[in-house]
Amino acid sequence: MKVADDESFGRCQPGAVKGPALVIVGTYDLICPPSVAYEMHAGIPETQLPELRESGRFGHFEQPDEFAAIMSDFVNNPEMEKHT
């Protein structure tokens, strides 16, 4: 198993992930801030990047309804069928 070093932790290496992908970020996330999420989004084709404006690190607890709706919309998107 490869473990990321401190410099690359949370960074998307170009070509490492193929889309579609969902990157959800909380506006107040101090561990993986929006700037890092936007960098990941730019490096992965077919990425969606919703930002939970009232959340930090734990959007699934802080905004559970919004988080669930985002996840549901992503996995139930008819476009996803061609990637399974």
Side-chain angles (χ1 to χ4, degrees), residues 7 9 11-12 14 21 24 29 46 51-52 61 66 70 77:
E7 187 174 307
F9 182 74
R11 301 297 198 270
C12 179
I24 302 174
D29 189 339
E46 299 182 67
E51 186 170 333
L52 295 171
F61 289 121
E66 292 85 347
I70 290 166
N77 182 336

Side-chain angles (χ1 to χ4, degrees), residues 28-81:
Y28 304 105
D29 189 339
L30 300 177
I31 296 170
C32 182
S35 61
V36 173
Y38 283 96
E39 182 181 323
M40 292 171 65
H41 173 61
I44 305 171
E46 299 182 67
T47 309
Q48 294 178 25
L49 177 58
E51 186 170 333
L52 295 171
R53 303 264 178 210
E54 298 174 18
S55 293
R57 183 73 179 153
F58 301 102
H60 54 294
F61 289 121
E62 298 163 322
Q63 291 184 262
D65 294 338
E66 292 85 347
F67 187 91
I70 290 166
M71 292 293 295
S72 179
D73 288 349
F74 182 75
V75 298
N76 292 313
N77 182 336
E79 290 292 311
M80 291 295 293
E81 287 184 20

